[in-house]
Amino acid sequence: MEVSNLSVHYSGIQAVRDVSFTLRRGEMLALIGPNGAGKSSLINAISGIVASSGAIVLNGRPIDDISAHRRARIGVIQVPEGRRVIAPLSVMENLELGREAARSRGDRREDLERVFGLFPILAERREQASGTLSGGQQQMLAIGRALMGRPNILMLDEPSLGLAPVIVAEVFRALEELNRQRMTILLVEQNARVALEIAGRAAILEQGCIAQLDDSRKLAADPAIVEHYLGLR
């Protein structure tokens, strides 16, 4: 995916300023930075949830002029901040909605096996109302729901937010496994230390702009990055 000069405005306030970057096929790219830096606005613009200017090209096809619905159907799928599972529906019903929203034509059994292989607890709780799951289980369900749509690009907005450390570790192990399977992932994450550990590259956003974009190991070894960002949780 190629993002060029992407900008987002809210009521006269510019949240994202002329951001450009390339997301390579099969890589995990992390977006880190302080609160209010524009991270969520950036991926919301890529998803089509918020209006933006600039260009977004997926596999050679411009997508900045198509709706969020149509972007999901071609595989631009986001796991939103706060999970947003549909509480009265069962785990299975939430997973099926993810498949229907993206109009996935893939093999249903294969898709379910992938989700349940990553998150076995979801298989155990498949008939349980999703609103009665723990926060960590709901995050797993939100990721599983996105996977049912067979994403070309999986975008996640703060997947560790509000979760216990042991659950965070489980969620990020799943993301690493997906990336090993060559899934392309764009990760917004407040926990900069963990993000730099699992992503191949990372972009640092400050005041709506990319301040740095480099190999994650190089950024993690930079004393300025350590001082200013690796304390973020």
Side-chain angles (χ1 to χ4, degrees), residues 8 22 25 34 63 73 78 85 99-100 102 104 107 112 122 147 161 165 172 174 180 186 192 203 209 212 216:
V8 177
T22 299
R25 187 186 303 273
I63 65 169
R73 290 172 184 169
Q78 181 177 341
V85 299
R99 180 179 172 81
E100 292 173 15
S104 174
D107 185 274
L112 285 171
L122 296 182
L147 293 175
L161 187 67
F172 280 101
R180 279 192 290 270
L186 184 59
C209 302
Q212 288 183 260
S216 292

Side-chain angles (χ1 to χ4, degrees), residues 33-44:
N35 288 333
K39 304 184 299 296
S40 294
S41 293
L42 177 56
I43 66 167
N44 286 340

Side-chain angles (χ1 to χ4, degrees), residues 127-193:
E127 300 305 326
Q128 185 171 329
S130 61
T132 65
L133 299 175
S134 69
Q137 291 163 1
Q138 288 186 16
Q139 184 64 73
M140 295 173 194
L141 177 56
I143 295 171
R145 182 177 59 191
L147 293 175
M148 292 296 288
R150 295 204 166 195
N152 285 313
I153 296 177
L154 178 65
M155 301 192 295
L156 303 105
D157 194 357
E158 303 286 8
S160 74
L161 187 67
L163 302 185
V166 65
I167 302 299
V168 171
E170 188 172 352
V171 167
F172 280 101
R173 277 196 298 270
L175 296 183
E176 288 182 286
E177 175 58 29
L178 289 169
N179 193 226
R180 279 192 290 270
Q181 296 171 12
R182 304 298 296 162
M183 179 166 289
T184 307
I185 298 174
L186 184 59
L187 171 66
V188 167
E189 179 52 51
Q190 185 71 11
N191 190 327
R193 188 177 302 277

